[in-house]
Amino acid sequence: MGSNRAVVIGDSRSAKEHLAEQNRATLEAAGIFGVNLMAAPGAGKTSLILRTAEALSPSLRIGVVEATPDSMGQEKDPFAEAGIPLVQVNTGGRSQLDATTLKPALKQLPLASIDILLVENVGNLVCHGASQLGLQADVLVVSVPEGHDNPYKYPEIYRHIDAVILNKTDLLPWVSFDLEFFRRGVELLNPGVSILPMSCYTGADLHRWIDWLISKRKITPSIAAARSGR
């Protein structure tokens, strides 16, 4: 009985890995660069996506998959109101999206009209990584009010990300936040990772994130090859 149970678990894991590979193949065939956005509630994921779409338009087109726990989808979604292609995924109370829930969402998006897909994951700091979803990059969004000790409290997620956006820097004059202490913590866990301080509220230093996003998309070989065939 025990061996049968082990086989089922192994098969389940392999199935999710296979679905992640299918998701990646779908995005790459369409020339889409997929980013897994992770954050605690209130860090500013939604504001970041709206600012990103505005800054990149009309040269690059954004699409969004938004994870919503239970039935908490908004009646008036800011992405839809901004004309951004959007699919909301009800996670059914689960803590995060996975390849299984992302795959049907991709089928509902107008992939031919999207260059960059931003997946707004359910708010927590233990989400599945991009590779487990079939995306190309992991980005963590943290905010100044969360404290400069954030990397020390959640070390695991910082070890496996491609960039850190430090949002709400407009609040630095008003809160106790040691930027250098924060940087040291991030670099200790993930040497060389991109740290991008900015403010979605004022737009200050938004270019740091936009430049990073464009450069990562350009140097992803599979995306570049797909774009040339469009």
Side-chain angles (χ1 to χ4, degrees), residues 1 3 17 32 52 60 66 74 81 87 133 189 205 214 226:
M1 239 176 128
S3 64
E17 290 173 354
I32 297 173
T52 302
L60 291 173
E66 180 184 26
Q74 303 175 47
E81 290 189 328
V87 173
L133 291 166
L189 295 165
D205 297 316
I214 292 173

Side-chain angles (χ1 to χ4, degrees), residues 37-214:
L37 287 180
M38 300 171 288
K45 293 193 302 294
T46 299
S47 298
L48 175 69
I49 292 171
L50 292 171
R51 282 282 192 177
T52 302
E54 182 182 13
L56 291 177
S57 178
S59 58
L60 291 173
R61 302 158 298 178
I62 298 296
V64 173
V65 172
E66 180 184 26
T68 59
D70 299 321
S71 58
M72 294 179 64
Q74 303 175 47
E75 288 184 10
K76 292 185 177 180
D77 190 281
F79 304 140
E81 290 189 328
I84 300 170
L86 167 72
V87 173
Q88 288 185 321
V89 177
N90 187 331
T91 63
R94 285 176 293 178
S95 62
Q96 56 211 323
L97 278 175
D98 60 19
T100 306
T101 48
L102 181 59
K103 184 177 174 60
L106 296 180
K107 293 181 179 180
Q108 298 178 55
L109 285 168
L111 298 182
S113 301
I114 295 172
D115 299 298
I116 297 173
L117 178 66
L118 300 178
V119 176
E120 185 182 1
N121 229 320
V122 175
N124 63 63
L125 294 183
V126 291
C127 290
H128 280 313
S131 62
Q132 294 169 285
L133 291 166
L135 305 174
Q136 289 91 356
D138 282 311
V139 174
L140 176 64
V141 185
V142 296
S143 64
V144 166
E146 292 174 65
H148 51 233
D149 59 346
N150 195 269
Y152 305 88
K153 291 193 295 186
Y154 304 102
E156 194 59 29
I157 195 168
Y158 280 86
R159 291 191 179 101
H160 305 289
I161 52 175
D162 300 295
V164 182
I165 293 174
L166 178 63
N167 191 23
K168 305 187 181 181
T169 54
D170 52 294
L171 297 178
L172 284 173
W174 314 107
V175 299
S176 177
F177 188 96
D178 187 332
L179 184 55
E180 288 310 308
F181 182 72
F182 176 81
R183 284 185 183 275
R184 286 199 301 273
V186 175
E187 290 170 356
L188 179 67
L189 295 165
N190 195 338
V193 70
S194 297
I195 303 173
L196 313 169
M198 57 170 286
S199 169
C200 286
Y201 178 68
T202 66
D205 297 316
L206 177 68
H207 66 88
R208 298 176 189 269
W209 157 243
I210 298 300
D211 290 347
W212 182 91
L213 188 58
I214 292 173

